[in-house]
Amino acid sequence: MKDAFGLPQSLLVLGGTSEIALATARRLIARRTRTVWLAGRPSPGLDEAAGQLRGLGAEVRTVAFDALDPAGHEEALGKVFAEGDVDMVLLAFGTLGDQAHDERDPRAAVRVAQTNYTGAVSSGLVCAGALQAQGHGSLVVLSSVAGERARRANFIYGSSKAGLDTFAQGLGDALYGTGVHVMVVRPGFVRTRMTAGLPEAPLATTPEAVAAAVELGLRRRAETVWVPGALRVVMSALRHLPRAVFRRLPV
Amino acid sequence: MPADTVSVTGWGRTAPTAARLIRPRTYEEAALAVRDCGARGGIARGLGRAYGDAAQNAGGTVLDMTALDRVHAVDADGGTVLCDAGVSLHRLMEVLLPLGWFVPVTPGTRYVTVGGAIGADIHGKNHHVSGSFSRHVLSLELLTADGRVRTVVPGTPLFEATAGGMGLTGVILTATIRLLPVETSLMCVDTERAADLDDLMARLADTDHRYRYSVAWIDLLARGAATGRAVLTRGDHAPLDALPRRTRARGEPLSFRTTRLPAAPSFVPEGLLSRTTVGLFNELWYRKAPRARTGQLQRIPAFFHPLDGVPHWNRVYGRSGFVQYQFVVGHGREDALRRIVRRISGRRCPSFLAVLKRFGDADPGWLSFPVPGWTLALDVPAALPGLGAFLDELDEEVAGAGGRVYLAKDSRLRPDVLAAMYPRLDDFRALRTALDPRGVFTSDLARRLHL
C-alpha cells in the first residue's frame, strides 16, 4: 500500500532499463519500496538493472515485456498483478528515433509512434484496469515537453508524446474517484543515453531530478509534473507564440 | 443493501482508496455483507476518526456500521450499558448523563463508535487511572469470518486480539460496557502553565495521581529555554456541591449541551498551517492560559472535545491532508522523550496543540497501544517536505527506547519496524490465520503493515 505521502511499497516499471525509471526506483527504494518488477525486453541490461536495485535491498523480478507487441501485454502484465498489489506503475518506455532518418523511412517513423503511443495505450489500459480492480495505485506516465508543441527538430517523437500525453490525461479523468491516480510527468531535455550526443537544450535536467519531482508529485497527488518546474511557465509562453515566430526560434 | 463504490480516507485525508461501501441495518445484513465481501475482503468502519488507513479497504468492501446504533439496555443501578457497535460516544453521553453515568473512557472526540473504541482500544485523559477502553468492556459480540456470532469476554485470547485489533478479527456487533457514576455533567478543572519540558514532566510526575483526568498541551514550536513549554489541564467530574447556588446548572446538573460552529470550508489552500500561523496560534494559546487557576467549572465538550465544535476541522490542512504521530516510551526512558521533543522543536514542524500525557498500567490487548510511560501526539501537514524521512527517524528512536506508535493514528509506519514495537504481533497473526484462514477481514493498514 501507499503511505500517507503517496510512496509505494511495490513498483512496476514498464521499460525496465530506462535511466529515468531506474533513478526513480532507486529513490523510492530508499524510502518505502521493497518489491520492484522491471518489465522490458529480456537483455543483459535488464538483468543488470535488476541486480543493481537488488543491491539496494529490494526484492526485484523481471518480466518479459515488449511495447511493440500489444497482443502480449495482457498476459505479461496480468502475471505481475496476479502476484499481488502494485502500488505504482511507472510507464517509462519510449524511443527518440532519428528524426532525419525517420523522415526518409516512414516505417522507422511508425516504429517510434507504435512504441511511444500505441504501446503505451495498450499497456496503460491493461494496468489501469488492474489498478482499478485493486482500488488503489498510481500510474505515472513519462511524457515530454516535446509533446507540448511540434518542433522541426523532433516532431515525429514529439507527436507520439503528444498522443501519449493526451491519452494519459484522459485516462486520469476517467479514473478520477476510483482510487487510482494518474500523473503525467513532462521532463525537458534529460541527460541520458537517449539524448547522448544531442545538443543540450536550455533548462536541461538529470534523471535524478526527474525522480525527485516524481516523489514530490506523488506526495501532492499531482496530475501534471514539469521537470524542472520552470518549464511550466516557459512552455505556457511558447505555446502561445505564433507559429511563424516559433518556427524561427533556435529550439 | 445499498452499495456504492466510493473513495475512502481516514481522518487525516491521506492515501485515498476506492471500496464498495455497504451500510448494514441489521445483524443479518452485516453477516450477509461479510459473506459476500469478495476476494479483497472487508473491514468495519465507524465514524472515520482513525487518522490513517485502518478503516479503508482498497478494491474490497467497507462496512459502514453507523446504522447499527441502538442502545439496547441501560442498567441504571449497576452502571452498565448494552449497545450496538455503531453507537457513538456522543450518543451514549446523551443517553447516559441524565441518568448519572458517564462513558468510562473518551478520547479527544465524542464522534467515535463503540466498535471503533474497542478496535483501537482507545485511551483518554484518565488512562493513568482507568486504563484503556477495553478494561471497561464486560463482553462483546463478534461476527467472525465463518459467519458465526461469538460472545467474547475478557481473559480470552479472542478478546485480547480484538481489543486493539483494528477490526481484523471480525465485526463487533454489540458490547456491554461498565460506566462511571457522575453527580453532574460539569468538570472541575485546574489549569497551570509549565515553562519548559523538564518543568512539565516534573509537574506531571509529581501530581498526576491527584487527578482523574490529566493532559498537557505542549508547544512544539517553542525553542531554546522555552522548548516544551506547555499548558496543563487536569480535573475531575464536579460533585453536586461544587456547583454554585442559584445557577441554572444547579437545577439540572446532569444536562448535556453541545454547540457546533459552522464546518470548515471544503476548500482550504495548501499551506494555511505554516510555521508562522501555527507559531502565532501556539503563542496565543500559551499566553491566554492562566498561570495557575483552580476549580474552574467547564462543560464536558470544552474539557474533553474542544475540536468537536468545528465539524470537518481536518479540512484546514488542505488537499494533502495531515499526519498524526503518536508514540509512547516507557517510564525510565525520559531521555528518549526529551531527545524527540528537541528534534521536533529543532526541525520546526508546524504542529499545533501537541499533547503529552502519562499512561498508567497497560491492558492485555495484543496490539493495544498504551504501556506505562509517556505518550506524545502531534499532527503535522503531510505536505511538509521531508516529513516522511523525519518521522522514520523518530520511529527508530521510539523503537530503540522500547516504545511504539499508535496504529489508529498511523498512516506511514514501515512494516519492519512494527514487530519491534508490538511483541505480541506474531500471536496476533497466528490467531488471525486460525480464525480467518481466507483473510476475509483486511484493511489498507493490514496490507501496508502485514498485520
Side-chain angles (χ1 to χ4, degrees):
Chain A
M1 296 301 301
K2 282 177 292 183
D3 71 359
F5 309 107
L7 295 175
Q9 291 178 317
S10 56
L11 169 69
L12 163 62
V13 176
L14 305 182
T17 54
S18 146
E19 282 164 86
I20 293 177
L22 292 173
T24 307
R26 283 196 297 274
R27 197 176 174 94
L28 295 176
I29 289 168
R31 296 287 297 113
R32 277 291 178 279
T33 306
R34 288 294 166 269
T35 311
V36 180
W37 290 88
L38 293 182
R41 281 184 304 236
S43 70
L46 190 66
D47 294 334
E48 193 197 315
Q52 196 195 93
L53 297 182
R54 266 184 215 114
L56 300 173
E59 185 198 320
V60 186
R61 284 192 270 180
T62 58
V63 57
F65 168 83
D66 185 352
L68 287 169
D69 174 29
H73 286 178
E74 205 137 23
E75 196 198 327
L77 301 175
K79 210 167 67 184
V80 175
F81 281 92
E83 295 276 325
D85 282 14
V86 174
D87 300 338
M88 169 172 159
V89 178
L90 178 56
L91 199 157
F93 60 79
T95 175
L96 185 57
D98 176 340
Q99 178 74 26
H101 171 267
D102 295 350
E103 282 177 33
R104 293 189 304 270
D105 180 357
R107 273 190 306 186
V110 164
R111 206 177 153 79
V112 172
Q114 279 179 339
T115 306
N116 295 358
Y117 178 67
T118 314
V121 168
S122 155
S123 55
L125 286 174
V126 170
C127 290
L131 293 175
Q132 200 178 345
Q134 66 181 28
H136 72 103
S138 292
L139 174 60
V140 178
V141 177
L142 282 189
S143 175
S144 166
V145 289
E148 193 66 9
R149 187 148 192 191
R151 276 168 60 206
R152 172 66 192 91
N154 67 3
F155 66 83
I156 295 174
Y157 170 79
S159 65
S160 70
K161 285 292 186 183
L164 167 67
D165 197 294
T166 306
F167 165 75
Q169 287 179 55
L171 188 61
D173 290 342
L175 292 174
Y176 188 79
T178 63
V180 182
H181 160 228
V182 179
M183 181 165 94
V184 179
V185 182
R186 294 187 191 134
F189 186 98
V190 187
R191 296 182 197 105
T192 60
R193 273 192 319 268
M194 190 197 255
T195 58
L198 292 179
E200 203 164 278
L203 293 174
T205 187
T206 61
E208 287 71 27
V210 180
V214 167
E215 186 187 334
L216 182 68
L218 289 171
R219 191 177 80 213
R220 292 182 174 164
R221 272 179 258 156
E223 293 178 325
T224 319
V225 169
W226 297 83
V227 199
L231 273 177
R232 182 190 292 267
V233 184
V234 172
M235 290 313 293
S236 101
L238 286 182
R239 191 163 47 225
H240 294 102
L241 272 189
R243 272 182 57 191
V245 179
F246 186 76
R247 202 177 284 146
R248 287 190 183 85
L249 285 185
V251 290
Chain B
M1 265 178 294
D4 288 312
T5 297
V6 293
S7 179
V8 182
T9 74
W11 190 242
R13 307 211 308 156
T14 56
T17 61
R20 204 164 56 104
L21 194 72
I22 294 187
R23 197 156 184 265
R25 286 158 304 192
T26 63
Y27 306 143
E28 291 71 34
E29 286 188 350
L32 209 65
V34 166
R35 206 191 64 201
D36 295 342
C37 66
R40 291 186 66 85
I43 191 76
R45 180 180 173 94
L47 289 161
R49 254 49 171 202
Y51 286 82
D53 46 8
Q56 51 193 79
N57 179 19
T61 301
V62 169
L63 279 77
D64 176 343
M65 298 299 289
T66 54
L68 283 164
D69 62 347
R70 278 167 303 171
V71 178
H72 293 279
V74 181
D75 177 353
D77 299 322
T80 62
V81 61
L82 167 63
C83 63
D84 281 343
V87 172
S88 69
L89 296 193
H90 174 81
R91 177 76 191 130
L92 280 185
M93 287 175 206
E94 283 179 338
V95 171
L96 297 172
L97 268 168
L99 302 172
W101 296 99
F102 192 58
V103 294
V105 168
T106 174
T109 172
R110 297 185 300 283
Y111 298 103
V112 296
T113 60
V114 166
I118 298 169
D121 201 14
I122 58 164
H123 56 271
K125 297 177 174 60
N126 56 347
H127 189 277
H128 60 294
V129 176
S130 307
S132 55
F133 196 85
S134 64
R135 188 179 295 181
H136 309 274
V137 175
L138 300 173
S139 82
L140 59 89
E141 285 182 298
L142 186 71
L143 170 63
T144 46
D146 52 13
R148 278 174 55 192
V149 177
R150 298 164 197 245
T151 301
V152 186
V153 293
T156 60
L158 188 51
F159 186 90
E160 285 162 16
T162 302
M166 306 311 293
L168 296 169
T169 56
V171 178
I172 299 170
L173 295 176
T174 68
T176 307
I177 305 157
R178 195 186 316 113
L179 303 168
L180 179 76
V182 292
E183 289 182 20
T184 73
S185 61
L186 291 172
M187 305 300 297
C188 200
V189 183
D190 292 358
T191 309
E192 58 193 284
R193 284 198 233 164
D196 59 44
L197 186 62
D198 286 333
D199 182 21
L200 170 65
M201 288 166 72
R203 283 171 196 248
L204 281 172
D206 294 343
T207 56
D208 239 13
H209 60 276
R210 288 201 244 130
Y211 297 92
R212 177 184 294 275
Y213 299 99
S214 168
V215 73
W217 304 111
I218 176 168
D219 178 2
L220 289 175
L221 276 173
R223 282 187 295 182
T227 302
R229 69 177 179 180
V231 179
L232 280 79
T233 45
R234 292 165 317 161
D236 204 338
H237 298 278
L240 194 55
D241 57 20
L243 303 192
R245 297 183 189 286
R246 288 201 304 260
T247 61
R248 211 159 46 138
R250 192 91 188 190
E252 37 179 21
L254 288 164
S255 74
F256 178 55
R257 277 195 296 274
T258 60
T259 47
R260 301 196 94 183
L261 300 169
S266 57
F267 176 78
V268 174
E270 204 90 326
L272 174 71
L273 295 189
S274 65
R275 276 171 200 146
T276 317
T277 55
V278 175
L280 269 172
F281 174 87
N282 285 7
E283 187 69 32
L284 279 173
W285 190 262
Y286 182 75
R287 298 280 167 206
K288 94 169 179 51
R291 256 177 229 291
R293 176 178 188 174
T294 55
Q296 185 196 5
L297 290 178
Q298 275 189 353
R299 298 198 171 278
I300 280 165
F303 182 71
F304 288 107
H305 319 116
L307 284 171
D308 279 350
V310 186
H312 301 295
W313 63 262
N314 56 338
R315 290 174 181 164
V316 302
Y317 287 90
R319 219 169 73 91
S320 301
F322 71 105
V323 171
Q324 167 116 164
Y325 190 70
Q326 182 168 6
F327 67 91
V328 58
V329 291
H331 292 303
R333 297 316 303 264
E334 286 77 10
D335 56 321
L337 176 66
R338 286 196 185 90
R339 267 200 307 277
I340 293 173
V341 167
R342 269 201 306 273
R343 287 180 76 160
I344 296 170
S345 305
R347 197 162 189 288
R348 315 279 293 136
C349 282
S351 171
F352 76 118
L353 294 188
V355 171
L356 183 76
K357 80 160 266 102
R358 278 159 67 89
F359 279 153
D361 291 342
D363 285 280
W366 292 347
L367 297 189
S368 179
F369 167 65
V371 289
W374 301 83
T375 180
L376 178 67
L378 55 137
D379 41 29
V380 195
L384 200 68
L387 181 62
F390 178 64
L391 294 180
D392 284 352
E393 291 170 24
L394 296 192
D395 287 341
E396 301 284 340
E397 185 100 56
V398 168
R404 51 174 60 161
V405 302
Y406 189 12
L407 294 183
K409 296 189 171 175
D410 178 55
S411 54
R412 28 85 26 214
L413 188 66
R414 256 184 18 226
D416 49 303
V417 186
L418 181 77
M421 294 179 163
Y422 287 91
R424 300 295 301 267
L425 183 61
D426 283 337
D427 294 326
F428 181 78
R429 285 176 176 150
L431 181 135
R432 262 189 86 202
T433 311
L435 185 71
D436 180 8
R438 289 185 301 124
V440 170
F441 294 108
T442 188
S443 63
D444 289 358
L445 176 83
R447 286 197 185 93
R448 182 166 56 81
L449 294 177
H450 316 308
L451 288 178

